[in-house]
């Protein structure tokens, strides 16, 4: 991939150093234990699903959001990173700060090159929808779900899946630790792209707004704070 996935807004960091047996990333304060064995099996099944792109009506967006899809001042600021190889799926990493281990990683149902085109066209709205559980007393947070139906600008693209960070994920976060906001490419070594492949990334601050137990929204914050976000991600349970 010769060009960055998004227009660079900062100088890309230097090539990553040789792999280190230990990471300097710290655990987030709200880190919870996950059933890693179950998630790994679930992820292996998910990877066999195709990416589909039929046109579908955008699911309902949580109430309280303005016409431009942005609502400021009511959430917590976190670090969000979109990254992936050109021929692979894009992953979304959420961190309390660039120095923390990711608290959430979602593998999205979209290839890097497709998201690049969507971002270049203007506002991008991604909705990740799952069904409410039959047990009314269930207290599972929406961010603790493992599978969502994904929509991008009104089109159903397939399924997004939550997964545990891999060694490669942690290596990418380690390299990007000095970067608070920006976009570019990193040298990669993946079975998807080969040893000469490049991994594209975009990192930004997001405002995380909790609407209810069944809805959370991430609004990408522009560097100047005036123009509103180019990207909104909705987690909805209906």
């Amino acid at each position: 991939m010769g060009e960055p996935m998004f227009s660079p807004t900062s100088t890309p960091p230097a090539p990553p150093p040789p792999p280190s047996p230990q990471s300097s990333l710290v655990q987030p304060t709200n880190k919870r234990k996950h059933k890693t064995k179950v998630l790994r099996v679930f992820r292996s099944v998910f990877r066999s699903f195709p990416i589909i792109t039929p046109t579908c009506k955008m699911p309902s967006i949580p109430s309280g959001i303005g016409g431009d899809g942005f609502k400021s001042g009511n959430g917590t600021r976190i670090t969000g990173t979109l990254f992936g190889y050109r021929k692979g799926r894009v992953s979304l990493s959420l961190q309390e700060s660039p120095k923390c281990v990711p608290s959430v990683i979602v593998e999205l149902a979209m290839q890097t090159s497709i998201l690049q085109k969507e971002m270049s066209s203007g506002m991008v709205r991604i909705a990740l929808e799952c069904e409410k559980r039959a047990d009314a007393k269930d207290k599972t947070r929406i961010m603790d779900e493992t599978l969502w139906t994904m929509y991008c600008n009104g089109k159903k693209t397939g399924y997004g899946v939550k997964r545990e960070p891999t060694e490669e994920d942690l290596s990418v976060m380690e390299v990007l630790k000095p970067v608070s906001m920006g976009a570019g490419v990193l040298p990669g070594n993946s079975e998807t792209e080969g040893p000469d492949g490049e991994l594209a990334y975009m990192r930004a601050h997001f405002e995380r707004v909790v609407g209810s137990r069944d809805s959370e929204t991430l609004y990408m914050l522009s560097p100047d704070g005036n123009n509103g976000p180019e990207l909104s991600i909705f987690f909805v349970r209906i």
Side-chain angles (χ1 to χ4, degrees), residues 103-162:
S103 55
V104 176
I105 290 188
V106 180
E107 191 169 307
L108 303 178
M110 179 174 288
Q111 290 186 339
T112 303
S113 58
I114 302 300
L115 182 57
Q116 177 187 8
K117 293 178 181 179
E118 293 288 347
M119 291 292 291
S120 64
S121 65
M123 175 71 75
V124 175
R125 293 160 64 98
I126 292 175
L128 295 164
E129 175 189 305
C130 64
E131 294 183 357
K132 287 185 178 180
R133 299 171 182 267
D135 184 1
K137 297 182 180 180
D138 187 272
K139 302 298 183 181
T140 302
R141 299 187 313 162
I142 192 166
M143 287 294 189
D144 289 336
E145 296 286 356
T146 54
L147 183 69
W148 298 271
T149 302
M150 177 175 161
Y151 301 83
C152 180
N153 289 342
K155 295 181 180 179
K156 183 177 178 181
T157 60
Y159 300 93
V161 65
K162 180 180 177 180

Side-chain angles (χ1 to χ4, degrees), residues 58-80:
M58 173 73 83
S60 299
I61 301 299
S63 60
I65 298 173
D68 59 357
F70 184 62
K71 179 181 178 182
S72 179
N74 297 315
T76 303
R77 193 171 77 166
I78 62 173
T79 297

Side-chain angles (χ1 to χ4, degrees), residues 79 98 176-182 203-205:
T79 297
L176 294 179
K177 189 167 66 171
V179 180
S180 58
M181 302 181 74
R203 168 165 284 183
H205 296 304

Side-chain angles (χ1 to χ4, degrees), residues 3 5 9 22 26-27 38 43 52 62 64 70 72 86 100 113 121 126 132 174 178 186 234 238:
E3 297 180 356
M5 178 171 138
T9 57
Q22 294 184 347
V26 299
Q27 292 292 338
V38 174
R43 182 188 176 198
I52 54 176
F70 184 62
S72 179
R86 179 173 59 87
C100 290
S113 58
S121 65
I126 292 175
K132 287 185 178 180
E174 184 76 37
L186 298 173
F234 305 91
I238 63 173

